[in-house]
Amino acid sequence: MTEQLDAGLVAQEIAEHPDALSKPYAGGELGRGRRRKEDAKLVTGQTNWTDNITLPGLLHMTVLRSPMAHARILSVDVSAALEMPGVIAAYSGADLADVMGASMPCAWPVTPDMVSPVHTPLATDEVRYVGDGVAVVIARDRYAAADALEAIAVEYDQLPAVVDMEEALKPGAPLVHSEKGTNQCFVFDFPGAGADYAETVKNAGDDAVVVRRRFRQQRLIPTPMEPRGVVVAPIAAADEFTMWSTTQIPHILRIMLALTTGIPEHKLRVVAPDVGGGFGAKLNVYAEEILCLVVARKLGRPIKWTESRSENYQATTHGRDQIQDIEIACTKDGTLLGLKVELLADMGAYLQLITPGVPVLGAFMFPAIYKMPSYHFTCTGVFTTKTPTDAYRGAGRPEATYAIERIMDELAAELGRDPMELRRQNWIKHEEFPYEMVAGLTYDSGNYEAATDKAEQMFDMAGLKAERDRRRASKDPVQIGIGISTFTEMCGLAPSRVLGSLSYGAGGWESASVRMLPTGKVEVVSGATPHGQGHHTSWSQIVADSLGVPFEDVELVAGDTRSSHKGMDTYGSRSLVVGGVAIHKATGKVIEKAKRIAAHLLEANEDDVEFGGGTFSVKGSPEAKLTIQEVALATFAAHNLPDGMEPTLDSDYVSDPENFSYPHGTHLCAVEIDTETGFTKILKYVCVDDIGKIINPVIVEGQIHGGLAQGIAQALYEEAVYDAEGNLTTGSLVDYLVPAAPDLPHFDTGRTETPATSNPLGVKGVGEAGTIASTPAVMNAVVDAVRQYGVNDIDMPATPERVWRAINGEGSARATAGTVAYGGTSTGSTGGAAADEALDDNRSAL
Amino acid sequence: MRVSMKVDGVTYEDEVEPRTLLTHHLRDGLGRVGTPIGCDTSNCGSCTVSIDGESVKSCSVLAVQAAGADITTIQGLAEGSEWHPVQKAFQQHHGLQCGYCTPGMIMASVDLLTRNPSPTEDEVRHGLEGNLCRCTGYQNIVKAVLSAASELRGEGPIAGSFRDADEPVPATSGASS
């Protein structure tokens, strides 16, 4: 057929090199455990990390950071630094005030009256957290730049630190931003889409059972293994710039840099080269990105900044940090009446890109998989003199899932019911989907029964319960606890109209382009930017399946605003459910165009041409066929196309999701607690996740494993601790416990498959599911093991010390002295007079 | 100071400041950027290389201390285009995601298997304790190392938890053993 096409030189070339033409499509790409294309460079050290980039004349930037949590800057003197060998320039905040922009962006004003303080890349008047940038040095190499920081003299007038959210809200408290007159950033009140909570509980009268708890979402440090870094190459004469950054969001970053610095968007190219993990911490617009850009513009020289890990712990956003007052109500038979959520969310010192939006996202997630007529959510954002918080794997949903899954266990204990049985009674049945939730979302699909049945079977629930009860009865020093988490989450951010209704500053669509090359190979361009997720592999599978071309013949183009010019990037488990769907739809347009050309070349009526397995054929004439690669070549040659036909098969699609994606699953955890040391060991971890149709089970399992590790780490290991003066006392990997291989168990993973109905691939997001689900599963297990000692909560992380203290009668073993345990009125034991009294208290509190 | 060392089969002689860390000399001085840096406290292990056959965190050594040494980095581990069995196993068992810890993790694993050719799962976990990974949860790394161990012993790679790459996975079965 190739010869008939008479494509001239290209055809000749291919005739002489038959390998250049694609092999036929073997089929079965979707659901196949392909090993990853990206691994070749990663396992051989041929990766292009930002810090690997070097350019002629490259200069190095370092940042002098505040050693104090809060202080007025009296003076910054960089003159001695300028005398140091190899130093090219040094600037204070005041020196750059004219060029660094008025304020860094926060794209999510969650309320119209949100307090949004000015946030300059370098502090000019006050420093507001340990790590706040004060000055920069530009030198010939990184050692010289580091040395010169020590020669900068800064005079500070120390101001009081603000570290405790509740104290911060009291009248007369020291202010983080004195000009704002308050430490309160916003109050977001959401009464849900159902009945009034207080009214509903009141109407239930004596039949109402109410349980309250105060949960603490400790502050976490995301810790992608690659710290951040930036390189900026200017073309000074043209005022044009290329930035390489360790970012999850090159597209959003470009827009924000343009808006912040005034450099026109089309004069900026932003590249995310190979990026070593992000977990939300690289979903931002950072001071150092702006500083490198404006300094490169000022000096006309390329600039590099590479973050050290200790800097990363101070200067890269943290996650979580909420105080959650949770109240749940049901009737005596266990039917839920409603849920009331009051959050305090620590913003840190400033608002980064989506800082205030993170806890607000949780508003839609607290009711989780449970049917209830009423719901009320309130969140107060609070400024403190700490590193700003922002997205961290799950962003708002882990916090919500933790609270609901923990309090379901507490409610079960209160009622003397089995926690799984109580969940079964209240969750949405599989035949009830689509289901409109009390929080306003409509869940498209799910089957909580199937996932739970399978998980229980894998877990050996009956056997573990028997062993737990045996040890309990025998007062064994090593006790067993069993924890459940039957979770769902909302991901695949997001339908643009929903984001608009939440005042988010952009849409939630994703862009894809499919380019058919003359030799039949395919380049797929995606606006979702990979940083470890395996996009090259999964997208190749989607394209191969759809176009009927070999997996090996597809290449991904992403992460560069020049070649992938449009995108919303990667976060919120959106790459597949938004970006992958866009790719799928773009391939559909390619096939549509190719079909017209094939019909023309085959001299057939378009309606008689069928496409399958990469081949166009004519109904009833088995010999008349053309492969899609042959059509691509013919289109390139353009010698014989239908009249008026544009000579290209290349197609774009921008896909705006019609709904969020709702993966769900059941996670079961058994822990062993040594009651003499308080040490917790995970005996068994089983999870069954339902993420709909699966493109690549190997990649999916990797995502689940990594998510579990981070969720378990929140439960047992990690906590960013600030002292009363606002010093980060867990400021390096020495003090902040990122789990190593011996700290984590073997995970038993399984899955059920309930396809999403909101996208044509039937897929759901998976990037954050493991993190969201696992924390409450572990903590429910920990509390289950020690509930017999009168314990009904332990703060995270459940360190040996906290567990030991809890067992030994020191209440909830809270880290913060003076905190009222359990919200004051809840039960310390199940049943009996104490419980009745607590219930009365709860009811009267309504 | 004038320092000579062999890196991935090539001998280099350079003037280095005495305080220069080996990892910076490898990256900035010699352009061997396959070895990344993940921390400044010698906790993460991303920069692990082999010095005279022993795995070392290259941020914990001065370049001058490595004078005369024979260093292998991740970039010198493969024999031409033939990957080391540990490299192959990391891909086969999906023992990496973002890949930033991978060079160090692989170099530490190679050393571990030299010292203990038949490790148990527990021994692999403890043997890699000095190398942090934030993406994988370690399970697939452990599998990869056990599989590479088997291959290096001449027993062939072990079957992973994943079905064969060329076999589509049935829709509703468990994804792992």
Coordinates of all heavy atoms in Angstrom, one line a residue, chain A residues 31-32 35-36 43 45 49 51-52 142-143 147 221-223 225 277 308-310 392 454 698 701-702 705-706 710 718 734 739 741 744 746-747 751 753, chain B residues 19 21 24 27-28 33-34 38-40 43 74 83 87 91-92 94 96-98 100 125 129 134-136 138-139 162 165-166 169 171-176:
Chain A
G31 N -4.9 -1.9 30.9 CA -4.9 -2.9 32.0 C -3.6 -3.8 32.0 O -3.6 -4.8 32.8
R32 N -2.7 -3.4 31.2 CA -1.5 -4.3 31.1 C -0.3 -3.7 32.0 O -0.1 -2.5 32.0 CB -1.0 -4.2 29.6 CG 0.1 -5.0 29.2 CD 0.2 -5.0 27.7 NE 1.1 -5.8 27.2 CZ 1.2 -6.1 25.9 NH1 0.4 -5.6 25.0 NH2 2.2 -6.9 25.4
R35 N 6.1 -2.3 32.1 CA 7.2 -1.7 32.9 C 7.5 -0.3 32.3 O 7.2 -0.1 31.1 CB 8.4 -2.6 32.9 CG 8.2 -3.9 33.5 CD 7.5 -3.8 34.8 NE 7.4 -5.1 35.5 CZ 6.4 -6.0 35.5 NH1 5.4 -5.7 34.7 NH2 6.5 -7.1 36.1
R36 N 8.0 0.6 33.1 CA 8.0 2.0 32.8 C 9.0 2.4 31.8 O 10.2 2.0 31.9 CB 8.1 2.9 34.0 CG 7.0 2.6 35.0 CD 6.9 3.8 36.0 NE 8.2 4.2 36.5 CZ 8.5 5.3 37.2 NH1 7.4 6.1 37.5 NH2 9.7 5.6 37.5
V43 N 17.4 4.6 36.2 CA 18.3 3.6 36.8 C 19.7 3.7 36.3 O 20.6 3.0 36.8 CB 17.8 2.2 36.6 CG1 16.4 2.0 37.2 CG2 17.8 1.7 35.1
G45 N 21.3 6.8 35.8 CA 21.8 8.1 36.1 C 21.9 9.1 35.0 O 22.7 10.0 35.0
W49 N 17.9 16.4 36.2 CA 17.3 17.1 37.4 C 17.7 18.6 37.2 O 18.7 18.9 36.6 CB 17.9 16.6 38.7 CG 17.9 15.2 38.9 CD1 18.9 14.3 39.0 CD2 16.7 14.4 39.1 NE1 18.5 13.0 39.3 CE2 17.1 13.0 39.3 CE3 15.3 14.7 39.0 CZ2 16.2 12.0 39.4 CZ3 14.4 13.6 39.2 CH2 14.8 12.3 39.4
D51 N 19.1 20.7 39.2 CA 20.5 21.0 39.7 C 21.6 20.5 38.8 O 22.7 20.8 38.9 CB 20.7 20.5 41.1 CG 22.0 21.0 41.7 OD1 22.2 22.2 41.7 OD2 22.7 20.1 42.2
N52 N 21.2 19.6 37.8 CA 22.2 19.1 36.9 C 22.5 20.1 35.8 O 23.5 20.0 35.1 CB 21.7 17.8 36.2 CG 21.6 16.6 37.1 OD1 21.9 16.8 38.3 ND2 21.3 15.5 36.6
R142 N 28.8 27.7 44.2 CA 27.8 27.6 45.3 C 28.5 27.7 46.7 O 27.9 28.2 47.6 CB 27.0 26.3 45.2 CG 27.8 25.0 45.3 CD 26.8 23.8 45.3 NE 26.7 23.2 44.0 CZ 25.5 22.7 43.5 NH1 24.4 22.8 44.2 NH2 25.5 22.2 42.3
Y143 N 29.8 27.4 46.7 CA 30.5 27.6 48.0 C 30.7 29.0 48.3 O 30.5 29.5 49.4 CB 31.9 26.8 48.0 CG 31.8 25.3 48.2 CD1 30.9 24.5 47.5 CD2 32.6 24.7 49.1 CE1 30.8 23.2 47.7 CE2 32.5 23.3 49.3 CZ 31.6 22.6 48.6 OH 31.5 21.2 48.8
D147 N 29.4 31.1 51.5 CA 30.3 31.8 52.4 C 29.8 33.2 52.6 O 29.8 33.7 53.8 CB 31.7 31.8 51.8 CG 32.4 30.5 51.9 OD1 31.9 29.6 52.6 OD2 33.4 30.3 51.2
I221 N 5.9 17.6 57.0 CA 6.8 18.2 56.0 C 6.9 17.3 54.8 O 7.3 16.1 55.0 CB 8.2 18.4 56.6 CG1 8.1 19.3 57.9 CG2 9.2 19.1 55.6 CD1 9.4 19.7 58.6
P222 N 6.5 17.7 53.7 CA 6.3 16.8 52.5 C 7.5 16.0 52.1 O 7.4 14.8 51.8 CB 5.8 17.7 51.4 CG 5.1 18.8 52.1 CD 6.0 19.1 53.4
T223 N 8.7 16.6 52.1 CA 9.9 15.9 51.9 C 10.0 15.1 50.6 O 10.3 13.9 50.6 CB 10.3 14.9 53.1 OG1 9.9 15.6 54.3 CG2 11.8 14.6 53.1
M225 N 12.2 13.7 47.7 CA 13.6 13.4 47.8 C 14.4 14.5 47.1 O 15.6 14.7 47.5 CB 13.9 12.0 47.3 CG 13.4 10.9 48.2 SD 13.6 11.2 50.0 CE 15.4 11.3 50.2
G277 N 9.8 14.0 42.6 CA 8.7 14.0 43.5 C 8.3 15.4 43.9 O 9.0 16.4 43.8
S308 N 19.0 23.4 49.9 CA 19.5 22.3 50.8 C 18.3 21.7 51.5 O 17.3 22.3 51.5 CB 20.6 22.9 51.8 OG 19.9 23.6 52.8
R309 N 18.5 20.5 52.0 CA 17.4 19.9 52.7 C 17.0 20.7 54.0 O 15.8 20.9 54.2 CB 17.8 18.5 53.2 CG 16.7 17.7 53.9 CD 15.4 17.6 53.2 NE 15.6 16.8 52.0 CZ 14.7 16.6 51.0 NH1 13.5 17.2 51.1 NH2 15.0 15.9 50.0
S310 N 18.0 21.3 54.7 CA 17.6 22.1 55.8 C 16.8 23.3 55.4 O 15.8 23.7 56.1 CB 18.8 22.5 56.6 OG 19.5 21.3 57.0
Y392 N -0.4 19.1 50.6 CA 0.5 17.9 50.8 C -0.4 16.7 50.6 O -1.5 16.6 51.0 CB 1.0 17.9 52.2 CG 1.8 16.6 52.5 CD1 2.7 16.1 51.7 CD2 1.5 15.9 53.7 CE1 3.4 14.9 51.9 CE2 2.1 14.7 53.9 CZ 3.1 14.2 53.0 OH 3.7 13.0 53.3
K454 N -14.0 -8.1 50.3 CA -12.7 -8.6 49.8 C -11.6 -8.4 50.8 O -10.8 -9.2 51.1 CB -12.4 -8.0 48.5 CG -11.1 -8.6 47.9 CD -11.1 -8.3 46.4 CE -9.8 -9.0 45.9 NZ -9.7 -8.9 44.4
V698 N 0.7 -2.1 37.5 CA 2.0 -2.0 38.1 C 2.1 -0.6 38.7 O 2.5 -0.4 39.9 CB 3.1 -2.3 37.2 CG1 4.5 -2.0 37.8 CG2 3.1 -3.8 36.7
E701 N -0.3 0.0 41.6 CA 0.1 -0.5 42.9 C 1.3 0.3 43.5 O 1.3 0.5 44.7 CB 0.6 -2.0 42.7 CG 0.9 -2.6 44.0 CD 0.9 -4.1 44.0 OE1 0.6 -4.7 43.0 OE2 1.3 -4.7 45.1
G702 N 2.1 0.8 42.6 CA 3.2 1.7 43.2 C 2.6 2.9 43.8 O 3.1 3.4 44.9
H705 N 1.2 1.9 47.2 CA 2.3 1.7 48.2 C 2.8 3.0 48.8 O 3.0 3.1 50.0 CB 3.4 0.9 47.6 CG 3.2 -0.5 47.3 ND1 4.1 -1.4 46.7 CD2 2.1 -1.3 47.6 CE1 3.6 -2.6 46.6 NE2 2.4 -2.6 47.1
G706 N 3.2 3.9 47.8 CA 3.8 5.1 48.3 C 2.8 6.0 49.1 O 3.2 6.6 50.1
Q710 N 3.2 7.2 53.2 CA 3.0 8.6 53.7 C 1.9 8.7 54.7 O 2.0 9.4 55.7 CB 2.9 9.6 52.6 CG 4.2 9.7 51.8 CD 4.1 10.7 50.7 OE1 3.2 11.5 50.5 NE2 5.2 10.7 49.8
E718 N 5.8 11.0 61.8 CA 6.2 12.4 61.4 C 5.5 13.5 62.1 O 4.3 13.4 62.3 CB 6.0 12.6 59.9 CG 6.9 11.6 59.0 CD 6.7 11.8 57.5 OE1 6.2 12.9 57.1 OE2 7.1 10.9 56.8
V734 N 17.5 14.6 60.4 CA 18.0 13.9 61.6 C 16.8 13.9 62.6 O 16.6 13.0 63.4 CB 19.2 14.7 62.2 CG1 19.6 14.1 63.6 CG2 20.3 14.7 61.3
P739 N 10.1 7.7 57.3 CA 10.3 6.2 57.5 C 11.3 5.6 56.5 O 11.2 6.0 55.3 CB 8.9 5.6 57.4 CG 8.1 6.6 56.8 CD 8.7 8.0 57.1
A741 N 13.1 1.7 55.2 CA 12.5 0.4 54.9 C 12.1 -0.4 56.1 O 11.0 -1.0 56.1 CB 13.5 -0.3 54.0
L744 N 8.4 0.3 57.8 CA 7.1 0.1 57.2 C 6.9 -1.4 57.0 O 7.8 -2.2 56.8 CB 7.1 0.8 55.8 CG 7.1 2.3 55.9 CD1 7.4 3.0 54.6 CD2 5.8 2.8 56.5
H746 N 4.9 -4.9 55.2 CA 4.5 -5.4 53.9 C 3.0 -5.0 53.7 O 2.2 -5.2 54.6 CB 4.7 -6.9 53.8 CG 4.4 -7.5 52.5 ND1 5.3 -7.6 51.5 CD2 3.2 -7.9 52.0 CE1 4.7 -8.1 50.4 NE2 3.4 -8.4 50.7
F747 N 2.7 -4.5 52.5 CA 1.3 -4.2 52.2 C 0.7 -5.3 51.4 O 1.3 -5.7 50.4 CB 1.2 -2.9 51.5 CG 2.1 -1.8 52.0 CD1 3.1 -1.2 51.2 CD2 1.9 -1.3 53.3 CE1 3.9 -0.2 51.6 CE2 2.7 -0.2 53.7 CZ 3.7 0.3 52.9
R751 N -7.9 -5.3 44.8 CA -8.8 -4.2 44.2 C -10.1 -4.8 43.7 O -10.2 -6.0 43.4 CB -8.1 -3.5 43.1 CG -7.7 -4.3 42.0 CD -6.8 -3.5 41.0 NE -6.1 -4.3 40.1 CZ -6.6 -4.7 38.9 NH1 -7.9 -4.3 38.6 NH2 -6.0 -5.4 38.1
E753 N -13.3 -3.4 41.0 CA -13.4 -2.4 39.9 C -14.8 -2.0 39.6 O -15.6 -2.8 39.1 CB -12.8 -3.1 38.7 CG -12.6 -2.2 37.5 CD -11.9 -2.9 36.3 OE1 -10.8 -3.3 36.4 OE2 -12.6 -3.0 35.3
Chain B
R19 N 37.9 21.7 51.4 CA 36.6 21.5 52.0 C 35.5 20.9 51.0 O 34.4 20.7 51.4 CB 36.1 22.8 52.6 CG 35.9 23.8 51.5 CD 35.2 25.1 52.0 NE 35.1 26.1 51.0 CZ 34.3 27.2 51.2 NH1 33.6 27.3 52.3 NH2 34.2 28.1 50.2
L21 N 33.1 18.7 49.2 CA 32.6 17.4 49.4 C 32.8 16.6 48.1 O 32.7 17.1 47.0 CB 31.1 17.5 49.7 CG 30.7 18.2 51.0 CD1 29.2 18.3 51.2 CD2 31.4 17.5 52.3
H24 N 30.0 17.0 45.7 CA 30.1 18.3 44.8 C 31.2 18.2 43.8 O 31.0 18.7 42.7 CB 30.3 19.5 45.7 CG 29.1 19.9 46.5 ND1 29.1 20.3 47.8 CD2 27.8 19.9 46.2 CE1 27.9 20.6 48.2 NE2 27.0 20.4 47.2
R27 N 29.8 16.1 41.0 CA 28.8 16.7 40.2 C 29.3 18.0 39.5 O 29.1 18.2 38.3 CB 27.6 17.1 41.1 CG 26.8 15.9 41.6 CD 25.7 16.3 42.6 NE 24.8 17.3 41.9 CZ 23.9 17.0 41.0 NH1 23.6 15.7 40.7 NH2 23.2 17.9 40.4
D28 N 29.9 18.9 40.3 CA 30.2 20.2 39.7 C 31.6 20.2 39.1 O 31.8 20.8 38.1 CB 30.3 21.3 40.9 CG 28.9 21.4 41.5 OD1 27.9 21.0 40.9 OD2 28.8 22.0 42.6
V33 N 26.8 13.9 37.0 CA 25.6 14.4 37.7 C 24.6 13.3 37.9 O 23.4 13.6 38.4 CB 25.0 15.6 37.0 CG1 25.9 16.8 37.1 CG2 24.7 15.3 35.5
G34 N 24.9 12.1 37.6 CA 24.0 11.0 37.8 C 23.7 10.7 39.2 O 22.7 10.1 39.6
G38 N 20.3 14.7 48.2 CA 19.0 14.8 48.7 C 18.9 15.4 50.1 O 17.8 15.7 50.6
C39 N 20.1 15.6 50.8 CA 20.0 16.2 52.1 C 21.4 16.8 52.4 O 22.3 16.7 51.6 CB 19.6 15.2 53.2 SG 20.8 14.0 53.6
D40 N 21.5 17.3 53.6 CA 22.8 17.9 54.0 C 23.2 17.3 55.4 O 24.0 18.0 56.1 CB 22.7 19.4 54.1 CG 21.4 19.9 54.7 OD1 20.7 19.1 55.3 OD2 21.1 21.1 54.6
N43 N 21.6 11.7 55.8 CA 20.6 10.8 56.2 C 19.9 10.1 55.0 O 19.4 9.0 55.2 CB 19.4 11.6 56.9 CG 19.8 12.0 58.3 OD1 20.4 13.0 58.5 ND2 19.5 11.1 59.2
I74 N 26.5 5.5 39.7 CA 25.4 4.8 39.0 C 25.6 4.9 37.5 O 25.2 4.0 36.7 CB 24.0 5.5 39.3 CG1 22.8 4.7 38.7 CG2 24.0 7.0 38.8 CD1 22.5 3.4 39.4
W83 N 22.7 -3.5 31.5 CA 22.5 -3.0 32.9 C 22.9 -4.1 33.9 O 22.8 -5.3 33.6 CB 21.0 -2.7 33.1 CG 20.4 -1.6 32.4 CD1 21.1 -0.7 31.6 CD2 19.1 -1.2 32.4 NE1 20.3 0.2 31.0 CE2 19.0 0.0 31.5 CE3 17.9 -1.6 33.0 CZ2 17.8 0.6 31.3 CZ3 16.7 -1.0 32.8 CH2 16.7 0.2 31.9
Q87 N 20.0 -3.0 38.5 CA 19.3 -2.0 37.7 C 18.0 -2.6 37.0 O 16.9 -2.0 37.0 CB 20.2 -1.4 36.6 CG 21.3 -0.5 37.2 CD 22.3 -0.1 36.2 OE1 23.0 -0.9 35.6 NE2 22.6 1.2 36.1
Q91 N 13.7 -1.9 37.6 CA 12.7 -1.6 36.6 C 11.6 -2.7 36.6 O 10.4 -2.5 36.6 CB 13.2 -1.5 35.2 CG 12.1 -1.3 34.2 CD 12.5 -1.1 32.7 OE1 13.4 -1.7 32.3 NE2 11.9 -0.1 32.1
Q92 N 12.0 -4.0 36.6 CA 11.1 -5.1 36.5 C 10.1 -5.1 37.7 O 8.9 -5.4 37.5 CB 11.9 -6.4 36.5 CG 11.0 -7.6 36.3 CD 10.2 -7.6 35.0 OE1 10.6 -6.9 34.0 NE2 9.1 -8.3 34.9
H94 N 9.3 -2.4 39.5 CA 8.8 -1.1 39.8 C 9.3 -0.6 41.1 O 8.5 -0.1 41.9 CB 7.3 -1.1 39.7 CG 6.6 0.3 39.7 ND1 7.2 1.4 39.1 CD2 5.4 0.7 40.2 CE1 6.5 2.4 39.3 NE2 5.4 2.1 39.9
L96 N 11.0 2.0 41.7 CA 11.3 3.5 41.6 C 10.1 4.2 41.0 O 9.3 3.6 40.2 CB 12.5 3.8 40.8 CG 12.4 3.5 39.3 CD1 13.3 4.4 38.5 CD2 12.8 2.0 39.0
Q97 N 9.9 5.4 41.4 CA 8.9 6.3 40.8 C 9.5 7.6 40.3 O 9.8 7.7 39.2 CB 7.7 6.5 41.8 CG 6.9 5.2 42.0 CD 5.8 5.3 43.0 OE1 5.1 6.3 43.1 NE2 5.5 4.2 43.7
C98 N 9.8 8.5 41.2 CA 10.4 9.7 40.7 C 11.9 9.5 40.4 O 12.4 10.1 39.5 CB 10.3 10.9 41.7 SG 11.5 10.9 43.0
Y100 N 14.6 9.8 42.2 CA 15.7 10.6 42.7 C 16.6 9.8 43.7 O 17.8 10.0 43.7 CB 15.1 11.8 43.4 CG 16.1 12.9 43.6 CD1 16.4 13.8 42.6 CD2 16.7 13.1 44.8 CE1 17.3 14.8 42.7 CE2 17.6 14.2 45.0 CZ 17.9 15.0 43.9 OH 18.8 16.0 44.1
R125 N 15.6 -4.9 54.2 CA 15.0 -3.7 54.8 C 16.1 -3.0 55.7 O 16.3 -1.8 55.6 CB 13.8 -4.0 55.5 CG 12.6 -4.3 54.6 CD 11.3 -4.5 55.4 NE 10.1 -4.8 54.5 CZ 9.3 -3.9 53.9 NH1 9.5 -2.6 54.2 NH2 8.4 -4.2 53.1
E129 N 18.6 0.7 55.3 CA 18.0 1.6 56.3 C 18.5 3.1 56.0 O 17.9 4.0 56.3 CB 18.4 1.2 57.7 CG 17.6 1.9 58.7 CD 17.7 1.2 60.1 OE1 18.7 0.4 60.2 OE2 16.9 1.4 61.0
R134 N 10.8 8.3 49.1 CA 9.5 8.9 49.5 C 8.3 8.4 48.6 O 7.2 8.7 48.9 CB 9.6 10.4 49.4 CG 8.6 11.2 50.1 CD 8.4 10.9 51.6 NE 7.8 12.0 52.3 CZ 7.4 11.9 53.6 NH1 7.5 10.8 54.2 NH2 6.8 12.9 54.2
C135 N 8.7 7.7 47.5 CA 7.6 7.3 46.6 C 7.1 5.9 46.7 O 5.9 5.7 46.5 CB 8.1 7.5 45.1 SG 8.6 9.1 44.6
T136 N 7.9 5.0 47.0 CA 7.6 3.6 46.8 C 7.1 2.8 48.0 O 6.5 1.7 47.8 CB 8.8 2.7 46.2 OG1 9.8 2.7 47.3 CG2 9.4 3.3 45.0
Y138 N 8.9 1.3 49.8 CA 10.0 0.3 49.9 C 9.7 -1.1 49.4 O 10.5 -1.9 49.1 CB 10.6 0.3 51.3 CG 11.1 1.6 51.8 CD1 10.4 2.4 52.7 CD2 12.3 2.1 51.3 CE1 10.8 3.6 53.1 CE2 12.8 3.3 51.7 CZ 12.1 4.1 52.6 OH 12.5 5.3 53.1
Q139 N 8.4 -1.4 49.4 CA 8.0 -2.9 49.1 C 8.6 -3.4 47.8 O 9.2 -4.4 47.8 CB 6.5 -3.0 49.1 CG 6.1 -4.4 49.1 CD 4.7 -4.6 49.7 OE1 4.4 -4.0 50.7 NE2 3.8 -5.4 49.0
F162 N 3.9 -8.8 40.4 CA 3.1 -8.4 39.2 C 3.1 -9.5 38.2 O 4.0 -10.3 38.1 CB 3.8 -7.2 38.5 CG 4.0 -6.1 39.4 CD1 5.3 -5.6 39.6 CD2 3.0 -5.5 40.1 CE1 5.5 -4.5 40.5 CE2 3.2 -4.5 41.0 CZ 4.5 -4.0 41.2
A165 N 4.7 -8.8 32.2 CA 4.5 -7.5 31.5 C 3.6 -7.6 30.3 O 2.9 -6.7 30.0 CB 5.8 -6.9 31.1
D166 N 3.6 -8.8 29.7 CA 2.9 -8.9 28.5 C 1.5 -9.5 28.7 O 0.8 -9.8 27.7 CB 3.7 -9.8 27.5 CG 4.9 -9.0 27.0 OD1 4.8 -7.8 26.8 OD2 5.9 -9.6 26.9
V169 N -3.9 -7.9 33.1 CA -4.3 -8.4 34.4 C -5.9 -8.5 34.3 O -6.6 -7.6 33.9 CB -3.9 -7.4 35.5 CG1 -4.5 -7.8 36.8 CG2 -2.4 -7.4 35.5
A171 N -9.7 -8.3 35.3 CA -10.3 -7.1 35.9 C -10.4 -7.0 37.4 O -10.1 -6.0 38.0 CB -11.7 -6.9 35.3
T172 N -10.9 -8.0 38.0 CA -11.2 -7.9 39.5 C -10.4 -8.7 40.4 O -10.8 -9.0 41.5 CB -12.7 -8.1 39.7 OG1 -13.0 -9.4 39.1 CG2 -13.6 -7.1 39.1
S173 N -9.2 -9.1 40.0 CA -8.4 -9.9 40.9 C -7.5 -9.0 41.7 O -7.3 -7.8 41.4 CB -7.6 -10.9 40.1 OG -6.6 -10.2 39.5
G174 N -7.0 -9.5 42.8 CA -6.0 -8.8 43.6 C -4.8 -8.5 42.8 O -4.4 -9.3 42.0
A175 N -4.3 -7.3 43.0 CA -3.1 -6.9 42.1 C -1.8 -7.5 42.7 O -0.8 -7.4 42.0 CB -3.1 -5.4 42.0
S176 N -1.8 -8.0 43.8 CA -0.6 -8.5 44.3 C -0.7 -9.8 45.1 O -1.8 -10.2 45.5 CB 0.1 -7.5 45.2 OG -0.2 -7.7 46.5

